Amino acid sequence: MARLSQKMKEMVTENMRRTIFETSEKIILRDGIDGLTMEHLAHEAEISAGSVYNYFENKEEIIDGVMKNMFHRLLENLETISGANVPTHEKLHGIAKFMFDDFSQKRRLFDVLMDRRHFHKHSKKKRAEGHMKLLNIISGTIKNGIDSGELHAVEPELAASVFLGMVRELQIDHAGIFKKCNSQELADKVMLIYLSGIENKGAK
Amino acid sequence: MARLSQKMKEMVTENMRRTIFETSEKIILRDGIDGLTMEHLAHEAEISAGSVYNYFENKEEIIDGVMKNMFHRLLENLETISGANVPTHEKLHGIAKFMFDDFSQKRRLFDVLMDRRHFHKHSKKKRAEGHMKLLNIISGTIKNGIDSGELHAVEPELAASVFLGMVRELQIDHAGIFKKCNSQELADKVMLIYLSGIENKGAK
Amino acid sequence: MARLSQKMKEMVTENMRRTIFETSEKIILRDGIDGLTMEHLAHEAEISAGSVYNYFENKEEIIDGVMKNMFHRLLENLETISGANVPTHEKLHGIAKFMFDDFSQKRRLFDVLMDRRHFHKHSKKKRAEGHMKLLNIISGTIKNGIDSGELHAVEPELAASVFLGMVRELQIDHAGIFKKCNSQELADKVMLIYLSGIENKGAK
Amino acid sequence: MARLSQKMKEMVTENMRRTIFETSEKIILRDGIDGLTMEHLAHEAEISAGSVYNYFENKEEIIDGVMKNMFHRLLENLETISGANVPTHEKLHGIAKFMFDDFSQKRRLFDVLMDRRHFHKHSKKKRAEGHMKLLNIISGTIKNGIDSGELHAVEPELAASVFLGMVRELQIDHAGIFKKCNSQELADKVMLIYLSGIENKGAK
DNA sequence: CATGAATGAGCGTTCATTCAT
DNA sequence: TATGAATGAACGCTCATTCAT
C-alpha cells in the first residue's frame, strides 16, 4: 500500500513534469524562448507559478529538459534510420530528410540551442555532449560506409560535421531560397553534392 | 549656406552613427549581446543615453546596423577573394579560410545572428538580404567554375548554401572536435569533401 | 476507555509538539531563524508540512514556544543557582557565568529574541512575562542580599535590570573586545564593576 | 557653467539620497524594517521604484546608510556631551540621558541593528566599527575620569561596555518596568548603581 | 489525523525608452 | 540637439498557509 502510493506519487510527479515540459515546448514553439516566462508557463499549464517549483529547481532546468527531450527523440529516430539495412547513401538521405521534417516543426526549439544566453558552464557541457551523440550517429554511419567500401576513407567526424552543417544551412535557409522545397527534395539536393562533390574530375 | 549647414549636419549625424556602431560592436565582441545595454553603450561612446535616440529609432536598429556593417566588410573581403585570378577551388578555399579567421575574431557578433530575440519582421528581411548577398558571391564563384568547366553543373545557389553550411558547422564546432585546427587546416578539410564528395565512385 | 484514549491523544499531541519544538530549536541553532522554514522543519521532524498545523496555529506560535522553552530552562537553572546557600555576590557571579555559557551555545536563539519581526502583540506580551520572570529571579536574589545587609538598599528591579544589561552587553560583544575571555573571566569583570561601581569614593 | 551644472547635479543627487534616507528612516520607524520594501519606499518618496537605483546600488546600501546616519548623529551628540567641561559623572549621566531620549524616538532603528538578517560580512564589519566608535567615546570619558582621580582604575573598555549594557537594558525595558520613567529619571537610576555599585562595603 | 502539492502575494532588481530641462 | 534622471512593466523565485484526498 505504501509502495502503491509511492508509485502513485511518482506517476503524478512524472506526469506533472511531462505536462510542464510539453507546455514549455508548446510555448517555445509558438512564442520563442522569450515567451516562456514562469507566469506564462504556469498559466498555460493551468497551475500556479509557485507550483512549478515543486517539480523543477529553476527555469533553466526546465529549458534543459525540453532541449534534452527534443534531442532524445531526434537521436532515437536517427538511430533507427541509421540502423536500417540499406545502402549508406540511403541512410544519410533518410537522416537528412528526417532532420528537415523535424526542423520545420521544431524550428523554435532549435533556435534555443543557438541562443548564447543559455550557454552556461553546465548546459554548455550538456550541449556539447548532445552534439557529440548526434555526430556519433552520423559518423558511425559514415564509418560503416567506409568499411563497406561505399565511401572514401574520409575522416568520419569531419564528414559527419560537414554533413550536419549542410543540412542545417538548408534547414535554416536564411535567404529563403529553398522554402518551396519539401524535405524529400532538400535531402536529394544535399546528397547530390555530399556524395559526389562539386568538382569536375573528368575535366582535369 | 543653408545647404552647407545641412551637409554639416548630415556629416555630424553620420559620424555619430558610426561612433555608436563602432562602440556597440566593441561591446558586443567583449561582453556579448547581453552586455550591450543602452546605458553601457552611451557611457562607452561618451554620450548620453538619450542622445542615442536622436540617431536611432531604438536598440534594434543599432544592432541591425552593426550586423549589416559586419556583413558589409565580410562581403567586401569575400568579393576581393572571389575576384582573384586563380582557380575556382582556390577561391573557395580562400573564402572558407577567411571566414574561419573572421569568425574566430568576431564570434560574438555571429552569435547575435543566431539569436532569435533579434529576429523581428523588419530585421528578418534585412538578414535575408544580407544572406542573399553572401550567397551570391559564393554562387557567382561557383557559376564561374561551372562555366569554365572546373565544376560540375550543380545548382549554384544550392552549392553555395551547402558550402556555407559546411564552413559554419566547423566554425561553431559545438562538440569541440576541431578546436586544435587553424583556419588553413579547416579550409583544407572543408574543400576535401566539398570538391570530391564522400562517395567512392570507383567501387561501383 | 474514552478517557483513556483521550489521554492517549493528549500524550501523542504533547509528544508531537515537543518534537516540533526540539527540531525547530536545532534548526535555529544551526541555521538561524531564517533557516527555519516550515518545509525544512517538517522534513527534519519527519512529518508533513501540513501536519504541523494540527499542532500549532502558525509559525509564530512555534517560535514563541521555542523561546519559552529556552527561557524556561534558563530560569530553572538560574533558580537553582539563586537558591544555593552562598553569599549573594557568589550567586550573582554564578548567574552571570551561567548566562555567558548558555549564550555561547544558544546564541542563535537569543538572536531571535532581538529580532523585531517576532514582536507581534501576542508574543510581545509573552516576552514581557518571560522577561519579568528572569528579572524576578535576579531581583529576588538582590532583595535577599539587601535584607542580609550584603547589598545597599538599591531598587531590586532596577539593580536586576542593570545587571542583565551588563551581562548581555558582554555576551553580544559587538565590537569583539572580549572574545578571548571565557565565561569565568567575563563574570569576574562584570561583578567587579557591579559590586563596587566605578567611582573613586576616597578621592572625594 | 559646466562646474555650476556639475555642482547642481551633485546637489540634486545629494538631495535625492537624503530624501531616500529620510523616507526610509520614517518607514522603518513606523513599520519596522520589514515595512521597508522598495516599492513602499519609492511610493512614499514619490518616485518610481526604478529611480531609487539611480542613487543606490541596492537595498542594503540604503539600510546601511540609514544606520550610519543614525549612528553618526548619535556619536556627534555624545562627543559634544563628552567634551563638556563638567565632572565625569555628569558627562556619563548626560550620555545616558541622551541615549534614553534618542532611543525612545528611534527604537525601530535600533531594532535593525539587532536583526541578524543584516549581519553580512561587510555590514558586520561596519557594525563592529560603529560600535567601537561608540565605545571609544564612553571609554575615553572614563579614562579621563580615571586620570583625574574621579574614577577607580577600572578597565575603560570594560566599564564602557558595561555602561552601554545598563543603558540599553533600561532603554529596551522588555518587562515594561520603567515605562513611566522619563530619561532624566532613568539616567539617575543608572548612575546610582554604576558609580557606587551595589555592594555594601561598610557591612564587611 | 496525515499528507504534501497548490497557492499566490510578495520580493529586489533590470533596462529600453521617454521627456523636461 | 544633448542630457540623464525617471519611468514602470517585467522578471525569476520564495514560502507560510490551505485543503482535497
Side-chain angles (χ1 to χ4, degrees), chain A residues 34 107 111 114-117 127 131 135 149-152 155 158-159 161-162 165-166 168-170 174 177-178 189 193-201 203, chain B residues 34 111 114-117 127-128 131 135 149-152 155 158-159 161-162 165-166 168-169 174 177-178 189 193-201 203:
Chain A
D34 285 338
R107 184 181 296 243
D111 288 344
M114 312 268 82
D115 192 327
R116 276 281 166 190
R117 281 175 302 167
R127 284 170 49 80
H131 220 88
L135 278 180
E150 293 169 277
L151 306 182
H152 288 154
E155 291 178 51
L158 169 65
S161 289
V162 151
M166 293 166 80
R168 284 234 171 96
E169 188 71 23
L170 298 197
H174 282 120
I177 303 178
F178 305 108
K189 286 178 187 296
I193 294 184
Y194 188 56
L195 291 177
S196 306
I198 64 168
E199 197 171 31
N200 187 358
K201 292 283 175 59
Chain B
D34 286 340
D111 286 344
M114 311 270 83
D115 194 330
R116 274 281 166 187
R117 284 176 298 170
R127 283 171 50 83
H131 220 88
L135 278 180
E150 292 168 277
L151 306 184
H152 288 152
E155 291 178 50
L158 169 66
S161 287
V162 151
M166 294 166 81
R168 283 235 170 94
E169 188 71 24
H174 281 120
I177 303 178
F178 306 107
K189 285 177 189 295
I193 293 182
Y194 189 57
L195 291 177
S196 307
I198 64 167
E199 198 172 30
N200 188 357
K201 292 286 177 58

Coordinates of all heavy atoms in Angstrom, one line a residue, chain A residues 34 107 111 114-117 127 131 135 149-152 155 158-159 161-162 165-166 168-170 174 177-178 189 193-201 203, chain B residues 34 111 114-117 127-128 131 135 149-152 155 158-159 161-162 165-166 168-169 174 177-178 189 193-201 203:
Chain A
D34 N 11.7 33.6 -25.4 CA 11.4 34.7 -24.6 C 9.9 34.8 -24.2 O 9.6 35.5 -23.3 CB 11.8 36.0 -25.3 CG 13.3 36.2 -25.2 OD1 13.9 35.6 -24.4 OD2 13.8 37.0 -26.1
R107 N 11.4 24.3 -35.3 CA 12.4 25.4 -35.6 C 12.7 26.2 -34.3 O 13.9 26.4 -34.0 CB 11.8 26.3 -36.6 CG 12.8 27.4 -37.1 CD 12.1 28.3 -38.1 NE 11.8 27.5 -39.4 CZ 12.4 27.8 -40.5 NH1 13.2 28.8 -40.7 NH2 12.1 27.1 -41.6
D111 N 16.2 27.0 -32.2 CA 16.7 28.4 -32.0 C 17.3 28.5 -30.6 O 18.3 29.1 -30.4 CB 15.5 29.4 -32.1 CG 15.1 29.6 -33.5 OD1 15.8 29.2 -34.4 OD2 14.0 30.1 -33.7
M114 N 20.8 27.7 -30.2 CA 21.7 28.7 -30.7 C 21.8 30.0 -29.9 O 22.6 30.8 -30.2 CB 21.2 29.1 -32.1 CG 20.8 28.0 -33.1 SD 22.2 27.5 -34.1 CE 23.1 26.4 -33.0
D115 N 21.0 30.0 -28.8 CA 20.9 31.2 -28.1 C 22.0 31.3 -27.0 O 22.0 30.5 -26.0 CB 19.5 31.3 -27.5 CG 19.3 32.7 -26.9 OD1 20.2 33.3 -26.4 OD2 18.1 33.1 -27.0
R116 N 22.9 32.2 -27.1 CA 24.1 32.2 -26.2 C 23.6 32.4 -24.7 O 24.4 32.1 -23.8 CB 25.0 33.4 -26.6 CG 26.0 33.1 -27.7 CD 27.2 32.3 -27.1 NE 27.9 31.7 -28.2 CZ 28.9 30.9 -28.1 NH1 29.3 30.5 -26.9 NH2 29.5 30.4 -29.1
R117 N 22.5 33.0 -24.5 CA 22.0 33.2 -23.1 C 21.9 31.9 -22.4 O 22.0 31.8 -21.1 CB 20.7 33.9 -23.1 CG 20.8 35.3 -23.3 CD 19.4 35.9 -23.4 NE 18.6 35.2 -24.4 CZ 17.3 35.3 -24.5 NH1 16.6 36.0 -23.7 NH2 16.7 34.7 -25.5
R127 N 25.3 20.5 -23.8 CA 25.1 20.8 -25.3 C 26.2 20.0 -26.1 O 25.9 19.4 -27.1 CB 25.2 22.3 -25.6 CG 24.0 23.1 -25.2 CD 24.4 24.5 -25.3 NE 25.1 24.8 -26.6 CZ 24.5 25.0 -27.7 NH1 23.1 25.0 -27.7 NH2 25.1 25.2 -28.8
H131 N 25.5 17.2 -28.8 CA 26.0 17.3 -30.1 C 26.9 16.1 -30.5 O 26.9 15.7 -31.6 CB 26.8 18.6 -30.2 CG 26.6 19.3 -31.5 ND1 25.6 20.2 -31.6 CD2 27.2 19.2 -32.7 CE1 25.6 20.7 -32.8 NE2 26.5 20.1 -33.5
L135 N 26.6 13.7 -33.6 CA 27.7 13.4 -34.6 C 28.1 12.0 -34.6 O 28.4 11.4 -35.7 CB 28.9 14.3 -34.1 CG 28.9 15.7 -34.6 CD1 30.2 16.4 -34.1 CD2 28.8 15.8 -36.1
G149 N 33.3 -0.1 -48.1 CA 33.8 0.4 -49.4 C 32.9 1.3 -50.1 O 33.1 1.7 -51.3
E150 N 31.8 1.7 -49.5 CA 30.8 2.6 -50.2 C 31.3 4.0 -50.2 O 31.0 4.8 -51.1 CB 29.5 2.6 -49.5 CG 28.7 1.2 -49.6 CD 27.5 1.2 -48.6 OE1 27.7 0.9 -47.4 OE2 26.4 1.5 -49.1
L151 N 32.1 4.3 -49.2 CA 32.6 5.7 -49.1 C 34.1 5.8 -49.2 O 34.8 4.8 -48.8 CB 32.1 6.4 -47.9 CG 30.6 6.3 -47.6 CD1 30.3 7.1 -46.3 CD2 29.8 6.9 -48.7
H152 N 34.6 6.9 -49.5 CA 36.1 7.2 -49.4 C 36.5 7.1 -48.0 O 35.7 7.1 -47.1 CB 36.4 8.6 -49.9 CG 36.3 8.9 -51.3 ND1 36.0 10.1 -51.8 CD2 36.4 8.0 -52.4 CE1 35.9 10.1 -53.1 NE2 36.2 8.8 -53.5
E155 N 37.8 11.4 -43.0 CA 37.7 11.4 -41.6 C 36.2 11.4 -41.2 O 35.4 12.3 -41.5 CB 38.2 12.7 -41.0 CG 39.7 12.9 -41.1 CD 40.1 14.3 -40.5 OE1 39.7 14.5 -39.3 OE2 40.8 15.0 -41.2
L158 N 34.8 14.5 -39.4 CA 34.8 15.6 -40.2 C 33.6 15.5 -41.2 O 32.8 16.5 -41.4 CB 36.1 15.7 -41.0 CG 36.1 16.7 -42.2 CD1 36.0 18.1 -41.7 CD2 37.4 16.6 -43.0
A159 N 33.5 14.4 -41.8 CA 32.4 14.2 -42.8 C 31.1 14.3 -42.1 O 30.1 14.9 -42.7 CB 32.5 12.8 -43.4
S161 N 30.4 16.2 -39.4 CA 30.2 17.6 -39.1 C 29.7 18.4 -40.3 O 28.8 19.2 -40.3 CB 31.5 18.2 -38.5 OG 31.7 17.8 -37.2
V162 N 30.4 18.1 -41.4 CA 30.2 18.8 -42.6 C 28.8 18.4 -43.1 O 28.0 19.3 -43.6 CB 31.3 18.3 -43.6 CG1 30.8 18.4 -45.0 CG2 32.5 19.2 -43.5
G165 N 26.3 20.4 -41.1 CA 26.3 21.8 -41.5 C 25.5 22.0 -42.8 O 24.8 23.0 -42.9
M166 N 25.7 21.1 -43.7 CA 24.9 21.2 -45.0 C 23.4 21.2 -44.7 O 22.7 22.0 -45.2 CB 25.3 20.1 -45.9 CG 26.8 20.2 -46.4 SD 27.3 18.7 -47.2 CE 26.7 18.8 -48.8
R168 N 21.9 21.7 -41.9 CA 21.4 22.9 -41.1 C 21.2 24.1 -41.9 O 20.3 24.8 -41.7 CB 22.5 23.2 -40.0 CG 22.5 22.2 -38.9 CD 22.4 23.0 -37.6 NE 22.2 22.1 -36.5 CZ 23.1 21.6 -35.7 NH1 24.4 21.9 -35.8 NH2 22.8 20.8 -34.7
E169 N 22.1 24.3 -42.8 CA 22.1 25.5 -43.6 C 20.8 25.5 -44.5 O 20.1 26.5 -44.6 CB 23.3 25.6 -44.5 CG 23.4 27.0 -45.3 CD 23.7 28.1 -44.3 OE1 24.3 27.9 -43.3 OE2 23.4 29.3 -44.7
L170 N 20.5 24.4 -45.1 CA 19.3 24.3 -45.9 C 18.0 24.3 -45.0 O 17.0 24.8 -45.4 CB 19.3 23.0 -46.7 CG 20.4 22.9 -47.7 CD1 20.1 21.8 -48.8 CD2 20.7 24.2 -48.4
H174 N 18.3 30.9 -44.5 CA 18.1 32.4 -44.2 C 17.6 33.2 -45.3 O 16.8 34.1 -45.2 CB 19.4 33.0 -43.7 CG 19.7 32.6 -42.2 ND1 20.8 32.0 -41.9 CD2 19.0 32.9 -41.1 CE1 20.8 31.8 -40.5 NE2 19.7 32.3 -40.1
I177 N 15.7 30.6 -50.1 CA 15.8 30.1 -51.5 C 15.1 28.8 -51.6 O 14.5 28.5 -52.7 CB 17.3 29.8 -51.8 CG1 18.1 31.1 -51.6 CG2 17.5 29.3 -53.2 CD1 19.6 30.9 -51.9
F178 N 15.0 28.0 -50.5 CA 14.5 26.7 -50.7 C 13.2 26.5 -50.0 O 12.8 25.3 -49.7 CB 15.5 25.7 -50.1 CG 16.9 25.8 -50.7 CD1 17.9 26.4 -50.0 CD2 17.1 25.4 -52.0 CE1 19.2 26.5 -50.5 CE2 18.4 25.6 -52.6 CZ 19.4 26.1 -51.8
K189 N 18.9 17.1 -52.7 CA 19.9 18.1 -53.1 C 21.2 18.0 -52.2 O 22.3 18.1 -52.7 CB 19.3 19.5 -52.9 CG 18.3 19.9 -53.9 CD 17.7 21.3 -53.6 CE 16.5 21.7 -54.5 NZ 16.9 21.8 -55.9
I193 N 25.4 16.7 -53.7 CA 26.7 17.3 -53.5 C 27.5 16.6 -52.5 O 28.7 16.4 -52.7 CB 26.5 18.8 -53.1 CG1 25.9 19.6 -54.2 CG2 27.9 19.4 -52.7 CD1 25.7 21.0 -54.0
Y194 N 26.9 16.1 -51.5 CA 27.6 15.5 -50.4 C 28.3 14.2 -50.9 O 29.5 13.9 -50.6 CB 26.7 15.1 -49.2 CG 27.5 14.6 -48.0 CD1 28.5 15.4 -47.4 CD2 27.1 13.4 -47.5 CE1 29.1 14.9 -46.3 CE2 27.8 12.9 -46.3 CZ 28.8 13.7 -45.8 OH 29.4 13.2 -44.7
L195 N 27.7 13.5 -51.8 CA 28.3 12.2 -52.3 C 29.3 12.5 -53.3 O 30.4 11.8 -53.3 CB 27.2 11.3 -52.8 CG 26.2 10.7 -51.8 CD1 25.1 9.9 -52.5 CD2 26.9 9.9 -50.8
S196 N 29.0 13.3 -54.3 CA 29.9 13.4 -55.4 C 30.8 14.7 -55.4 O 31.8 14.8 -56.2 CB 29.1 13.5 -56.7 OG 28.2 12.4 -56.8
G197 N 30.6 15.6 -54.5 CA 31.4 16.8 -54.5 C 31.0 17.7 -55.7 O 30.0 17.3 -56.5
I198 N 31.6 18.8 -55.9 CA 31.2 19.7 -57.0 C 32.3 19.7 -58.0 O 32.1 20.3 -59.1 CB 31.0 21.1 -56.4 CG1 32.3 21.7 -55.9 CG2 29.9 21.1 -55.4 CD1 32.2 23.2 -55.6
E199 N 33.4 19.1 -57.8 CA 34.5 19.2 -58.8 C 34.3 18.3 -60.0 O 33.8 17.2 -59.8 CB 35.8 18.9 -58.1 CG 37.0 19.4 -58.9 CD 38.3 19.2 -58.1 OE1 38.4 18.2 -57.3 OE2 39.2 20.0 -58.3
N200 N 34.6 18.9 -61.1 CA 34.5 18.1 -62.3 C 35.8 17.4 -62.5 O 36.8 17.9 -63.1 CB 34.2 19.0 -63.5 CG 33.9 18.2 -64.7 OD1 34.0 17.0 -64.7 ND2 33.6 18.9 -65.8
K201 N 35.9 16.2 -62.1 CA 37.2 15.4 -62.2 C 37.6 15.2 -63.6 O 38.8 15.3 -64.0 CB 37.1 14.1 -61.4 CG 36.9 14.2 -59.9 CD 38.3 14.6 -59.3 CE 38.1 14.8 -57.8 NZ 37.5 13.7 -57.1
A203 N 37.4 16.8 -66.1 CA 37.9 18.0 -66.8 C 39.4 18.1 -66.6 O 40.0 18.8 -67.4 CB 37.2 19.2 -66.3
Chain B
D34 N 24.3 40.6 -24.6 CA 23.6 41.0 -23.3 C 24.4 42.1 -22.6 O 23.8 42.7 -21.7 CB 23.4 39.8 -22.4 CG 22.2 38.9 -23.0 OD1 21.4 39.4 -23.8 OD2 22.2 37.7 -22.6
D111 N 27.3 35.3 -33.1 CA 26.3 34.7 -32.1 C 25.0 35.5 -32.2 O 23.9 34.9 -32.1 CB 26.8 34.9 -30.7 CG 27.9 33.9 -30.4 OD1 28.0 32.9 -31.1 OD2 28.6 34.1 -29.4
M114 N 22.5 34.4 -34.6 CA 21.8 33.2 -34.3 C 20.8 33.4 -33.2 O 20.0 32.5 -32.9 CB 22.8 32.2 -33.8 CG 24.1 32.0 -34.6 SD 23.8 30.7 -35.9 CE 23.0 31.6 -37.2
D115 N 20.7 34.6 -32.7 CA 19.9 34.8 -31.5 C 18.5 35.3 -32.0 O 18.3 36.4 -32.5 CB 20.5 35.9 -30.6 CG 19.9 35.9 -29.3 OD1 18.7 35.7 -29.2 OD2 20.6 36.2 -28.3
R116 N 17.5 34.4 -31.8 CA 16.2 34.7 -32.2 C 15.5 35.9 -31.7 O 14.6 36.4 -32.2 CB 15.2 33.5 -31.8 CG 15.3 32.3 -32.8 CD 14.4 32.7 -34.0 NE 14.7 31.7 -35.1 CZ 14.2 31.8 -36.3 NH1 13.4 32.8 -36.6 NH2 14.5 30.9 -37.3
R117 N 16.1 36.4 -30.5 CA 15.5 37.6 -30.0 C 15.6 38.8 -31.0 O 14.9 39.8 -30.9 CB 16.2 38.0 -28.7 CG 15.8 37.2 -27.5 CD 16.6 37.6 -26.4 NE 18.0 37.3 -26.6 CZ 19.0 37.8 -25.8 NH1 18.7 38.5 -24.8 NH2 20.2 37.5 -26.1
R127 N 18.1 40.5 -42.8 CA 19.0 39.4 -42.6 C 19.0 38.6 -43.9 O 20.0 38.1 -44.4 CB 18.5 38.5 -41.5 CG 18.9 39.0 -40.1 CD 18.2 38.1 -39.1 NE 18.4 36.7 -39.4 CZ 19.5 36.1 -39.0 NH1 20.4 36.7 -38.3 NH2 19.6 34.8 -39.3
A128 N 17.8 38.4 -44.4 CA 17.6 37.6 -45.7 C 18.4 38.3 -46.8 O 19.1 37.6 -47.6 CB 16.2 37.5 -46.0
H131 N 22.1 37.8 -46.3 CA 22.4 36.4 -46.6 C 22.5 36.2 -48.1 O 23.4 35.5 -48.6 CB 21.4 35.5 -45.9 CG 22.0 34.3 -45.3 ND1 22.5 34.3 -44.0 CD2 22.3 33.1 -45.9 CE1 23.0 33.1 -43.8 NE2 22.9 32.4 -44.9
L135 N 25.5 34.7 -50.3 CA 25.3 33.5 -51.1 C 25.6 33.8 -52.6 O 26.2 33.0 -53.3 CB 23.8 33.0 -51.1 CG 23.5 32.1 -49.9 CD1 22.0 31.7 -50.0 CD2 24.4 30.9 -49.9
G149 N 34.2 25.0 -66.7 CA 34.4 23.5 -66.7 C 35.1 23.0 -65.5 O 35.4 21.8 -65.4
E150 N 35.4 23.8 -64.5 CA 36.1 23.3 -63.3 C 35.2 22.5 -62.4 O 35.6 21.6 -61.7 CB 36.7 24.5 -62.5 CG 37.9 25.2 -63.2 CD 38.2 26.5 -62.5 OE1 37.5 27.5 -62.8 OE2 39.1 26.5 -61.7
L151 N 33.9 22.9 -62.4 CA 32.9 22.3 -61.6 C 31.8 21.6 -62.3 O 31.6 22.0 -63.5 CB 32.3 23.3 -60.6 CG 33.3 24.2 -59.8 CD1 32.5 25.1 -58.9 CD2 34.3 23.3 -59.0
H152 N 31.2 20.7 -61.7 CA 30.0 20.1 -62.3 C 28.9 21.1 -62.5 O 29.0 22.2 -61.9 CB 29.4 19.0 -61.3 CG 30.2 17.8 -61.1 ND1 30.1 17.0 -60.0 CD2 31.0 17.1 -62.0 CE1 30.9 16.0 -60.1 NE2 31.5 16.0 -61.4
E155 N 23.5 23.1 -59.1 CA 22.8 24.3 -58.9 C 23.7 25.3 -58.1 O 24.0 24.9 -56.9 CB 21.5 24.1 -58.0 CG 20.4 23.4 -58.7 CD 19.2 23.2 -57.7 OE1 18.8 24.2 -57.1 OE2 18.8 22.1 -57.5
L158 N 22.4 26.2 -54.5 CA 22.4 25.1 -53.6 C 23.9 24.8 -53.2 O 24.2 24.7 -52.0 CB 21.9 23.8 -54.4 CG 22.1 22.5 -53.7 CD1 21.4 22.5 -52.3 CD2 21.7 21.3 -54.6
A159 N 24.7 24.8 -54.2 CA 26.2 24.5 -53.8 C 26.7 25.6 -52.9 O 27.5 25.3 -52.0 CB 27.0 24.5 -55.1
S161 N 25.0 27.4 -50.7 CA 24.3 27.2 -49.4 C 25.0 26.1 -48.6 O 25.4 26.2 -47.5 CB 22.9 26.9 -49.5 OG 22.1 28.0 -49.9
V162 N 25.2 25.0 -49.3 CA 25.8 23.9 -48.7 C 27.3 24.2 -48.3 O 27.7 23.8 -47.2 CB 25.8 22.7 -49.8 CG1 26.9 21.8 -49.6 CG2 24.4 22.0 -49.7
G165 N 27.1 26.2 -45.2 CA 26.7 25.3 -44.0 C 27.9 24.5 -43.5 O 28.1 24.4 -42.3
M166 N 28.7 24.0 -44.4 CA 29.9 23.2 -44.0 C 30.8 24.1 -43.2 O 31.3 23.7 -42.2 CB 30.6 22.7 -45.3 CG 29.8 21.7 -46.0 SD 30.5 21.3 -47.7 CE 31.8 20.2 -47.3
R168 N 30.2 26.9 -41.7 CA 29.6 27.4 -40.4 C 29.7 26.3 -39.3 O 30.0 26.6 -38.2 CB 28.1 27.7 -40.6 CG 27.9 29.0 -41.3 CD 26.9 29.8 -40.4 NE 26.9 31.2 -41.0 CZ 25.9 31.6 -41.8 NH1 25.0 30.8 -42.2 NH2 26.0 32.8 -42.2
E169 N 29.4 25.1 -39.7 CA 29.4 24.0 -38.8 C 30.8 23.8 -38.1 O 31.0 23.7 -36.9 CB 29.0 22.7 -39.4 CG 28.8 21.6 -38.4 CD 27.5 21.8 -37.6 OE1 26.6 22.5 -38.0 OE2 27.5 21.2 -36.5
H174 N 30.4 22.8 -32.2 CA 29.8 22.7 -30.9 C 30.4 21.6 -30.1 O 30.5 21.7 -28.8 CB 28.3 22.3 -31.0 CG 27.4 23.5 -31.3 ND1 26.7 23.6 -32.5 CD2 27.2 24.6 -30.7 CE1 26.0 24.7 -32.5 NE2 26.3 25.3 -31.4
I177 N 35.4 19.4 -31.6 CA 36.3 18.4 -32.3 C 37.5 19.0 -33.0 O 38.6 18.5 -33.0 CB 35.5 17.6 -33.3 CG1 34.3 16.9 -32.7 CG2 36.4 16.5 -34.0 CD1 33.5 16.1 -33.7
F178 N 37.2 20.2 -33.5 CA 38.3 20.9 -34.3 C 39.0 22.1 -33.7 O 39.6 22.9 -34.4 CB 37.6 21.3 -35.7 CG 36.9 20.2 -36.3 CD1 35.5 20.1 -36.4 CD2 37.6 19.1 -36.9 CE1 34.9 19.0 -37.0 CE2 37.0 18.1 -37.5 CZ 35.6 18.0 -37.6
K189 N 40.2 20.9 -44.9 CA 39.2 19.8 -44.6 C 37.9 20.0 -45.4 O 37.4 19.1 -46.0 CB 39.0 19.7 -43.1 CG 40.1 19.1 -42.3 CD 39.8 19.1 -40.8 CE 41.0 18.7 -40.0 NZ 41.4 17.3 -40.2
I193 N 36.2 17.5 -48.9 CA 34.9 16.9 -49.0 C 34.1 17.6 -50.1 O 33.4 17.0 -50.9 CB 34.2 16.7 -47.7 CG1 34.9 15.8 -46.8 CG2 32.7 16.3 -47.9 CD1 34.3 15.5 -45.5
Y194 N 34.2 18.9 -50.0 CA 33.3 19.7 -50.9 C 33.6 19.4 -52.4 O 32.7 19.4 -53.2 CB 33.5 21.2 -50.6 CG 32.5 22.1 -51.3 CD1 31.1 21.9 -51.1 CD2 32.9 23.1 -52.1 CE1 30.2 22.7 -51.7 CE2 32.0 23.9 -52.7 CZ 30.6 23.7 -52.5 OH 29.7 24.5 -53.1
L195 N 34.8 19.3 -52.7 CA 35.2 19.1 -54.1 C 34.9 17.7 -54.6 O 34.3 17.5 -55.6 CB 36.7 19.4 -54.3 CG 37.1 20.9 -54.2 CD1 38.6 21.1 -54.3 CD2 36.3 21.8 -55.2
S196 N 35.3 16.7 -53.8 CA 35.2 15.3 -54.3 C 34.0 14.5 -53.7 O 33.7 13.4 -54.2 CB 36.5 14.6 -53.9 OG 37.6 15.3 -54.3
G197 N 33.3 15.0 -52.7 CA 32.3 14.3 -52.1 C 32.8 13.1 -51.3 O 34.1 13.0 -51.2
I198 N 32.0 12.3 -50.8 CA 32.5 11.2 -49.9 C 32.3 9.9 -50.6 O 32.7 8.9 -50.1 CB 31.8 11.3 -48.6 CG1 30.2 11.0 -48.7 CG2 32.0 12.6 -47.8 CD1 29.6 10.6 -47.4
E199 N 31.6 9.9 -51.7 CA 31.3 8.6 -52.3 C 32.5 8.0 -53.0 O 33.2 8.7 -53.7 CB 30.1 8.7 -53.2 CG 29.5 7.3 -53.5 CD 28.2 7.5 -54.3 OE1 28.1 8.6 -55.1 OE2 27.3 6.7 -54.2
N200 N 32.6 6.7 -52.9 CA 33.7 6.0 -53.6 C 33.2 5.5 -54.9 O 32.6 4.5 -55.1 CB 34.1 4.8 -52.7 CG 35.4 4.2 -53.3 OD1 35.9 4.6 -54.4 ND2 35.9 3.1 -52.7
K201 N 33.4 6.4 -55.9 CA 32.8 6.0 -57.2 C 33.4 4.8 -57.8 O 32.8 4.0 -58.4 CB 33.1 7.2 -58.2 CG 32.3 8.5 -57.9 CD 30.9 8.3 -58.2 CE 30.1 9.6 -57.8 NZ 30.6 10.8 -58.4
A203 N 34.2 2.2 -56.6 CA 33.7 1.0 -56.0 C 32.5 0.5 -56.8 O 32.1 -0.7 -56.6 CB 33.4 1.2 -54.6

